[in-house]
Amino acid sequence: MYRSPTLYGLVLLAGLLTAPLWGQRDYRDGAALERSIQALEQQYGEYLEASTLTETAAGHPIWLLTIGSDDRNTKPGVAIVGGVAGHHLLGQELAMGVAENLLAGTTVDSIQQLLEEVTFYVFPQVSPDAATQYFSGLRYERQANGRDTDTDRDGYTNEDPGEDLNGDGLLTMMRIAAPDGEYVMHPADARVMRKATAADPPAVRYHLLPEGRDNDMDGQHSEDGPGGIFFNKNWTFQHPTFKPGAGEYAVSEVETRAIADFLYDRFNIFSVITFGPSENLHAPLEYRSSNDRQRVITGILKGDAEVNKQVSGLFQEVASAKKGVRASTNAGGFMEWTYFHYGRFGFGTPGWYVPDWQMPEDEAEAAQYKPNDDKNADVNFLRWAEAANVENAFVEWTEVRHPDFPDQTVEVGGMAPFVQLNPPYGEVRELASKHTDFAVRLGQLRAQVALTNIRQEQVDEGLWRVKATLVNTGQLPTTSEIGDRFNWLKRLRVDFGMADNQALSTGQEVYLFPAMQPGEARELSWLVRGNGTVTIEAGSPHVGTDSITLNLQ
Amino acid sequence: MLSNIKYLIACFVLLPLLATAQTPEQIFQAVGTPANPKVNISFNRYYTAEGLEALAKKLADAHPDLITLQSIGKSYEGRDLWCMTVTDQSMGPDLEKPGFYIDGNIHSNEIQGSEFAIYTAWYLAESFGKNKFITELLKEKVFYIVPTINPDARNAYMKGENTANTPRSGMIPIDDDRDGVYDEDGYDDLNGDGEITQMRRKSPYGDYVADPVNPNRMIRVGEDERGTYEYLGSEGIDNDGDGQINEDRVGGYYDANRNWGWNWQPEYIQRGSHHYPFSIPENRAVMEFAIAHPNIAGAQSYHNSGGMLLRGPGAEEDRGTYSRADVRVYDQLGEMGEKLIPGYRYLTVYKDLYSVFGGELDWFHGGRGVFTFTNELYTSYLMFNERTRDREDMELFGEKLLFNDQFMEWEEYDHPVYGKIEIGGTRKNFGRADPGFLLETDAHRNMAFTIYHAYQTPKLVIEEVTEKDLGNGYLEVTATVGNQRIIPTHSDHDLTNKISPPDFISIEGVDVVAGMRLLDRDMNQAREQEFRPERLAVDNISGMSTVDVRWIVKAGTDTPYTIRVESAKGGVVTKEVE
């Protein structure tokens, strides 16, 4: 049927206009990310400053997008970090998506207003070395950065990488039938391997190993490949020193150090959202009395658990969280560091979970599917992937000749890399939109201080009483319970400034207060000798300030 | 009268000559000390960072075959951290010898470790070629000596407004009171006498009286008495108007000895730990040097005071990092130390002092597998060579041996807040730093302890090589490699975490058919290594023990080959076999 050229033209125009934002068809590699950032700079230079914090050992940049208006570093700030796990490309897209949506939203009053008051620091990709493996000729889930290390600590470096035995451009798994194998086929889906139990006879058992050879004949397969240190294992909370990918000591890598140094300098940041494997938004972390019974705190503190619950509730409202997800933390992880060691309101989520596949209602259809009694995640994923038309979710088991196992049947196959953690790209836009809404709402929830109920009374000639009530008018505490314990966040400070001829009879020129809860109020009062103009200023870098000027004449 | 004038003239002329050194013929050696050193150093006084640098340069210039000087990094204020590498350079590269690391002064007011380190470098270099033991020691081992790892604050302690206990840390500004302003309220030398002493005020409500015997001292009165003086703390005023005095000093509060990368904990668990491991630039420099020198097999980091030979664990939570076998090695070293330095006690940090995280010795032991001691230098024991806590004895020491040099007499002063007060009391060079006349003795004994420790780092020897003709052109070669000292090539903690690579024993110059580790030589139990059999990986060579390895090679009985042992901490040893 004939279509009008005008319609085509309009569609084309619309496409061109949104192309910089949503011309994306797939997860972005380093070059595409750079182009996107440059496009944003060109379009939104008033609100955006793009910079590189440093380069990794392999020469990839760590991008930082500072989004806000005017003196950005003087406003309370929220940091948003993506790519903490190198194989979680979704994290990068969510972080970039939030940046893009905020900037596109500056035409809307509420967003523009927010950016006058809050600054967003977006790090879209903090594992750029590892992320390249998604786009490489040999694809596998890599978290290691580009600095070569002796991962298995045997005195040789990179001596045992994986090999692509079936030539499919992927590193998956191998299964080898053996009576002493630790795995068996899953009853619900023979493609899926699950751990064997004592009840499984020898005839049905398999070894399950990473695809490759045991090049250094040490009994382990593919345990020392290219790279490297994992960004999300290199932080100080429960650092798993000497474990593969963690490093000789915490914060050992150029990129972790650069980010830590930057964040420590930014006293105005009050919250960090991390898109990565750790979760406390779909479900909050819970307080248990064992958390702070030891000297080393291993779990969230009571007051902060309340805040986590509140914010998690907000997230579930805004982002339609998945039910049944559990909160989780990882040793050496970044999100964990943002709370436990950086003292901020630290939140994290992978951003997407494989939906629970439902058995079809129609009996005939349902008969095709054997029951997944132990709720095996791989089985669920394959069923969902099939229904959702996800391509190449699984590599069929195919026999290969394996030099290490000359007389045995070795099959290469298994779950495809990336697909269980990164949804089909078509879903990313909506996910980014929801997470942007959350970030905006979190910004609006922030603690704010106001000097209210100002009173000035002339007690006598040249003697004045000045009173004020300092209130936290926001919906979060001014500082987290853990953050108030150490000195990387400033106290609430009240300054009483006077003219040279004035002096105080009661009250201090400087007050320093610990955290204030939402709605909490403090009474302040001064007795001033002498006429003149006084100013009261209250606040802190991560809360913002309020000030008032009084003419005592 | 004329003879008086001649006498005076003679004195004028001779006086300068008296100041120059004696000629060698005028000197008779005191046993155990180099009598005619190339470099003359006074070991009865302390040196600033620049002073230490000058001494190190003199030593390196005078002993170019033994000492190389390098900067291992910069301090916060841009000063160099100097390292002297002391070894017989004609005996192979230093990285192929077991190394012993020494530093001092991580806490800026804990100064004498630097002089002890200089003394060690001086003694080793000046004794080489003259003393057989030292000569052998420097052939086999390498010493890495960094006299000060906190030069900025060392100078601040010596020249700035500080007490015996400050600034302890460094010069990075820290907002101690979290008010947004940095280092704005430090000590003040109110009376301009060059010292930060104490303030007292006459008061009928006070807790102190002046000691009638020695009026410089204040004595606290009993619970039910009233004194005549109030003690007001260290000299200072409220510089920033917040109602507190001296609460946010320059160089406060972080503790370089809480910032190291083994079980590092944040500030609210471990005060002073700063941002993250090695965020303090001086520590980072030392760490990078240690990682670049995996041959470091023993270490000493000097502090003061108290007379202690400390080993870890620093934190109670780290007890698991010290196995029985590792502790046995420490015990042997520590017990020798107690003999060599009477008055010093061998102690464990978390148990006998207090539990701390992120210490330097914790990282050397936990993060690098190095047997490490921290000596807390100087103790009141050294006053009269007895354990005395008697106040009278301490008084006697100050009065009759130091002639009250440790006191500034009380002077009146008009304080803006406190009114009429007196300023005076003990000076900062008293109490923690060795008095001048004890410095060299304490230095020598501590040096002797570190030399014993260094001596006990692994000494690997290819003890014997035997051959057995297997016929058909095959030879079986068995080598026994021994460690002749008590420190193993890998501590248990090192083995558990695979901190250091394995020891490699290689055979070169022949075709290797098979290689194996002999687990029991007599019973012929062997474990074959299929991957690169010519280079056998051995987990560890324990102290005072041996390992046996065997190859089957394609060679005749008269084919020459070389056996080579490469151990990170045990060094490189080769043996050529004809």
Side-chain angles (χ1 to χ4, degrees):
Chain A
M1 196 173 142
Y2 180 73
R3 291 192 193 273
S4 110
T6 331
L7 189 60
Y8 271 124
L10 277 173
V11 169
L12 200 62
L13 190 64
L16 279 173
L17 281 175
T18 56
L21 290 178
W22 289 112
Q24 303 307 321
R25 298 275 203 80
D26 197 1
Y27 294 94
R28 282 170 271 204
D29 66 8
L33 183 63
E34 184 163 351
R35 284 195 300 274
S36 298
I37 292 172
Q38 282 163 353
L40 286 177
E41 263 189 310
Q42 278 186 2
Q43 200 169 355
Y44 301 107
E46 193 191 326
Y47 288 97
L48 167 66
E49 189 189 320
S51 55
T52 54
L53 217 54
T54 188
E55 268 184 18
T56 61
H60 294 114
I62 301 291
W63 289 106
L64 165 63
L65 308 177
T66 307
I67 298 172
S69 46
D70 304 318
D71 296 320
R72 298 187 185 103
N73 291 336
T74 63
K75 318 268 178 69
V78 177
I80 301 186
V81 184
V84 298
H87 58 317
H88 184 233
L89 275 299
L90 176 65
Q92 169 189 285
E93 297 304 315
L94 288 178
M96 270 305 280
V98 171
E100 287 159 346
N101 289 337
L102 281 175
L103 289 167
T106 47
T107 51
V108 174
D109 274 350
S110 59
I111 304 285
Q112 198 181 65
Q113 180 66 30
L114 183 67
L115 292 182
E116 301 270 327
E117 299 164 4
V118 178
T119 298
F120 289 86
Y121 299 92
V122 180
F123 296 85
Q125 178 55 269
V126 296
S127 301
D129 301 346
T132 59
Q133 215 68 49
Y134 181 94
F135 308 97
S136 146
L138 182 65
R139 303 178 74 225
Y140 59 93
E141 292 184 347
R142 173 174 170 167
Q143 295 191 63
N145 71 2
R147 187 169 74 80
D148 282 331
T149 57
D150 178 6
T151 307
D152 59 348
R153 312 190 74 89
D154 63 353
Y156 297 99
T157 298
N158 295 5
E159 80 284 1
D160 197 358
E163 282 97 349
D164 182 14
L165 297 173
N166 64 350
D168 63 348
L170 304 172
L171 289 182
T172 51
M173 301 296 280
M174 314 185 296
R175 68 179 182 190
I176 304 149
D180 61 338
E182 308 83 7
Y183 289 84
V184 296
M185 293 195 255
H186 196 283
D189 188 334
R191 295 173 295 175
V192 174
M193 306 303 292
R194 66 153 173 88
K195 280 222 125 141
T197 60
D200 293 309
V204 301
R205 286 168 174 259
Y206 293 84
H207 291 303
L208 191 64
L209 298 167
E211 186 180 349
R213 302 200 50 190
D214 180 7
N215 301 75
D216 59 353
M217 302 183 205
D218 63 351
Q220 291 180 288
H221 279 72
S222 316
E223 80 285 1
D224 194 355
I229 303 299
F230 297 14
F231 184 88
N232 211 40
K233 276 198 184 174
N234 195 231
W235 293 85
T236 45
F237 180 71
Q238 296 181 329
H239 182 249
T241 318
F242 301 124
K243 297 288 179 291
E248 307 293 288
Y249 53 91
V251 197
S252 58
E253 303 306 291
V254 167
E255 59 270 30
T256 37
R257 235 182 111 200
I259 290 168
D261 285 342
F262 176 84
L263 291 175
Y264 272 117
D265 274 345
R266 296 265 61 78
F267 286 96
N268 61 319
I269 290 179
F270 71 92
S271 179
V272 186
I273 302 173
T274 303
F275 294 122
S278 303
E279 175 67 75
N280 71 342
L281 285 174
H282 286 250
L285 290 168
E286 294 194 355
Y287 174 73
R288 271 182 282 278
S289 59
S290 57
N291 286 0
D292 51 357
R293 206 183 290 147
Q294 308 277 358
R295 215 154 53 117
V296 179
I297 291 175
T298 53
I300 193 170
L301 298 182
K302 195 154 182 221
D304 298 325
E306 295 291 319
V307 173
N308 195 177
K309 195 165 159 199
Q310 172 195 0
V311 173
S312 168
L314 168 69
F315 180 84
Q316 286 170 39
E317 217 182 280
V318 167
S320 45
K322 185 183 180 195
K323 296 265 179 294
V325 169
R326 305 186 62 177
S328 69
T329 58
N330 293 289
F334 178 72
M335 182 276 256
E336 295 75 0
W337 176 85
T338 63
Y339 170 69
F340 287 102
H341 287 187
Y342 186 49
R344 268 56 175 187
F345 295 113
F347 303 108
T349 179
W352 177 77
Y353 289 95
V354 177
D356 289 331
W357 177 85
Q358 300 299 331
M359 194 67 92
E361 310 238 320
D362 178 65
E363 264 190 37
E365 265 192 73
Q368 290 175 42
Y369 298 100
K370 304 206 190 93
N372 182 8
D373 288 324
D374 61 353
K375 295 202 177 27
N376 182 293
D378 290 344
V379 172
N380 175 70
F381 170 76
L382 289 177
R383 291 177 174 178
W384 168 80
E386 188 185 34
N389 289 321
V390 175
E391 287 178 7
N392 302 321
F394 190 83
V395 176
E396 296 299 326
W397 295 107
T398 315
E399 199 176 328
V400 297
R401 296 263 306 267
H402 197 299
D404 293 348
F405 306 98
D407 305 319
Q408 290 173 278
T409 309
V410 177
E411 298 169 281
V412 171
M415 314 297 291
F418 301 113
V419 288
Q420 289 180 287
L421 207 52
N422 303 286
Y425 197 78
E427 307 206 16
V428 168
R429 186 169 181 171
E430 193 184 335
L431 289 169
S433 175
K434 288 192 170 146
H435 287 84
T436 308
D437 288 344
F438 168 71
V440 167
R441 292 286 296 275
L442 182 67
Q444 292 165 341
L445 212 63
R446 72 190 187 281
Q448 300 183 58
V449 286
L451 289 160
T452 63
N453 201 11
I454 316 289
R455 291 142 280 165
Q456 69 181 78
E457 316 161 18
Q458 182 156 26
V459 175
D460 202 345
E461 187 69 43
L463 188 66
W464 300 87
R465 183 175 293 123
V466 175
K467 289 175 147 183
T469 310
L470 180 66
V471 187
N472 175 2
T473 56
Q475 291 171 272
L476 290 177
T478 55
T479 306
S480 65
E481 188 181 333
I482 205 169
D484 217 18
R485 291 186 180 194
F486 58 141
N487 55 354
W488 307 125
L489 283 153
K490 302 298 180 191
R491 293 211 186 117
L492 282 174
R493 181 185 169 122
V494 179
D495 282 85
F496 191 86
M498 301 174 285
D500 286 335
N501 63 306
Q502 293 176 301
L504 286 174
S505 283
T506 65
Q508 287 170 209
E509 287 181 51
V510 177
Y511 283 103
L512 296 172
F513 296 130
M516 289 176 71
Q517 298 303 309
E520 190 180 336
R522 273 186 181 274
E523 287 301 316
L524 306 163
S525 97
W526 295 269
L527 209 55
V528 188
R529 298 195 307 275
N531 295 347
T533 308
V534 302
T535 43
I536 309 172
E537 193 176 331
S540 76
H542 64 282
V543 172
T545 52
D546 190 20
S547 63
I548 215 103
T549 305
L550 298 171
N551 206 3
L552 307 179
Q553 298 289 357
Chain B
M1 173 94 162
L2 198 60
S3 64
N4 279 350
I5 295 172
K6 274 192 195 158
Y7 177 71
L8 277 168
I9 294 171
C11 282
F12 255 91
V13 171
L14 285 174
L15 217 59
L17 287 177
L18 283 170
T20 63
Q22 277 69 24
T23 63
E25 302 85 68
Q26 295 169 331
I27 292 168
F28 178 77
Q29 191 223 0
V31 70
T33 299
N36 270 310
K38 289 192 184 144
V39 181
N40 265 299
I41 303 176
S42 282
F43 287 109
N44 55 9
R45 59 193 183 185
Y46 295 100
Y47 297 92
T48 63
E50 290 74 21
L52 295 172
E53 179 180 328
L55 292 174
K57 287 197 167 132
K58 269 197 195 142
L59 285 170
D61 287 342
H63 301 277
D65 298 332
L66 292 173
I67 303 183
T68 46
L69 190 64
Q70 76 185 101
S71 170
I72 66 173
K74 297 272 190 200
S75 69
Y76 175 72
E77 288 180 346
R79 291 183 179 82
D80 285 300
L81 272 58
W82 292 106
C83 175
M84 291 177 280
T85 299
V86 185
T87 189
D88 180 354
Q89 291 162 15
S90 71
M91 297 296 291
D94 65 283
L95 285 173
E96 292 184 2
K97 300 179 186 177
F100 192 85
Y101 172 85
I102 300 175
D103 72 29
N105 194 216
I106 186 173
H107 287 143
S108 43
N109 60 317
E110 302 182 10
I111 53 175
Q112 62 265 58
S114 306
E115 279 71 20
F116 288 24
I118 293 275
Y119 181 84
T120 304
W122 172 82
Y123 191 94
L124 289 170
E126 299 290 353
S127 305
F128 180 85
K130 301 194 173 81
N131 176 279
K132 182 166 169 221
F133 174 82
I134 300 288
T135 306
E136 287 304 307
L137 187 71
L138 290 183
K139 283 195 201 307
E140 287 175 10
K141 314 285 185 192
V142 53
F143 287 81
Y144 301 111
I145 300 179
V146 187
T148 173
I149 61 172
N150 196 350
D152 302 342
R154 177 188 183 88
N155 281 4
Y157 161 76
M158 289 181 173
K159 301 189 208 165
E161 290 166 321
N162 279 296
T163 68
N165 302 315
T166 67
R168 183 175 169 87
S169 53
M171 305 307 286
I172 302 174
I174 303 284
D175 182 9
D176 281 323
D177 55 1
R178 299 168 61 199
D179 66 352
V181 188
Y182 289 83
D183 300 346
E184 73 280 10
D185 196 350
Y187 296 122
D188 308 279
D189 181 11
L190 297 174
N191 63 357
D193 63 354
E195 298 274 345
I196 299 297
T197 46
Q198 293 90 51
M199 305 189 293
R200 71 181 185 188
R201 178 171 62 186
K202 284 204 172 76
S203 162
Y205 315 118
D207 290 331
Y208 289 84
V209 290
D211 183 349
V213 172
N214 188 346
N216 284 311
R217 274 185 57 240
M218 289 212 289
I219 307 178
R220 208 187 170 100
V221 296
E223 291 286 328
D224 53 348
E225 298 172 59
R226 272 211 176 142
T228 53
Y229 279 104
E230 290 180 87
Y231 176 65
L232 297 172
S234 295
E235 226 175 315
I237 54 174
D238 180 11
N239 302 77
D240 62 351
D242 64 353
Q244 297 173 281
I245 292 187
N246 304 339
E247 86 289 354
D248 196 351
R249 306 189 310 270
V250 174
Y253 183 81
Y254 64 94
D255 190 332
N257 204 35
R258 308 284 183 264
N259 177 248
W260 295 75
W262 180 259
N263 210 357
W264 177 96
Q265 294 296 332
E267 292 266 341
Y268 61 86
I269 295 171
Q270 178 54 68
R271 236 189 117 212
S273 60
H274 206 243
H275 289 160
Y276 54 79
F278 312 115
S279 54
I280 291 171
E282 294 84 352
N283 293 352
R284 176 160 294 269
V286 173
M287 174 273 287
E288 286 176 352
F289 182 83
I291 294 208
H293 293 78
N295 60 321
I296 292 173
Q300 166 65 243
S301 181
Y302 285 123
H303 287 231
N304 73 31
S305 59
M308 307 176 205
L309 307 157
L310 294 174
R311 69 153 171 94
E316 187 171 354
E317 289 81 346
D318 274 333
R319 270 170 309 177
T321 62
Y322 284 75
S323 72
R324 273 233 194 93
D326 289 347
V327 169
R328 264 203 300 277
V329 173
Y330 277 103
D331 284 349
Q332 186 157 345
L333 297 170
E335 280 155 20
M336 175 62 82
E338 285 186 333
K339 289 206 191 96
L340 297 178
I341 321 177
Y344 280 52
R345 295 156 296 150
Y346 165 51
L347 299 171
T348 302
V349 174
Y350 87 89
K351 209 161 26 124
D352 301 306
L353 293 183
Y354 40 83
S355 199
V356 291
F357 290 102
E360 183 175 357
L361 77 66
D362 298 303
W363 184 72
F364 268 87
H365 175 97
R368 294 286 92 197
V370 175
F371 287 88
T372 311
F373 274 90
T374 278
N375 287 9
E376 296 278 359
L377 302 172
Y378 189 63
T379 161
S380 56
Y381 177 97
L382 295 178
M383 290 197 246
F384 296 105
N385 295 333
E386 52 188 30
R387 251 176 234 308
T388 175
R389 296 238 176 273
D390 192 312
R391 180 171 283 145
E392 281 183 16
D393 282 341
M394 297 178 84
E395 277 316 294
L396 190 72
F397 185 78
E399 242 182 80
K400 297 287 195 299
L401 285 162
L402 300 181
F403 310 105
N404 277 334
D405 188 41
Q406 75 281 15
F407 276 128
M408 297 301 288
E409 297 215 4
W410 294 98
E411 278 178 17
E412 284 186 358
Y413 185 81
D414 221 328
H415 194 281
V417 167
Y418 294 124
K420 279 214 186 323
I421 63 165
E422 295 172 23
I423 296 179
T426 52
R427 300 168 59 203
K428 65 186 173 189
N429 61 353
F430 177 72
R432 301 181 70 131
D434 290 67
F437 78 97
L438 290 174
L439 237 192
E440 183 163 349
T441 309
D442 208 6
H444 187 92
R445 288 184 186 273
N446 277 277
M447 174 196 75
F449 171 68
T450 59
I451 285 178
Y452 178 74
H453 186 172
Y455 178 80
Q456 292 297 350
T457 56
K459 178 179 165 138
L460 297 181
V461 176
I462 299 168
E463 307 272 11
E464 79 175 307
V465 182
T466 55
E467 295 178 2
K468 186 161 135 191
D469 193 343
L470 299 176
N472 287 331
Y474 292 104
L475 200 66
E476 180 190 273
V477 179
T478 306
T480 302
V481 177
N483 178 0
Q484 296 183 345
R485 301 288 155 79
I486 65 170
I487 293 179
T489 59
H490 298 72
S491 67
D492 273 356
H493 176 73
D494 188 332
L495 285 172
T496 309
N497 291 283
K498 297 194 182 178
I499 300 175
S500 308
D503 299 327
F504 289 105
I505 306 177
S506 313
I507 186 168
E508 295 166 357
V510 282
D511 283 331
V512 177
V513 172
M516 62 204 80
R517 167 85 190 271
L518 285 182
L519 302 170
D520 186 323
R521 190 167 178 168
D522 301 306
M523 296 303 192
N524 237 17
Q525 285 177 13
R527 188 171 62 218
E528 198 188 344
Q529 179 184 302
E530 288 179 55
F531 176 67
R532 294 194 61 179
E534 71 280 6
R535 190 171 190 241
L536 295 168
V538 170
D539 282 344
N540 181 32
I541 308 176
S542 289
M544 306 305 290
S545 73
T546 57
V547 296
D548 300 298
V549 295
R550 175 173 288 168
W551 297 276
I552 298 173
V553 303
K554 216 169 162 59
T557 51
D558 49 1
T559 315
Y561 52 84
T562 306
I563 308 283
R564 182 182 173 86
V565 181
E566 291 163 84
S567 167
K569 295 193 166 73
V572 174
V573 184
T574 54
K575 187 181 183 113
E576 276 159 30
V577 179
E578 301 309 311

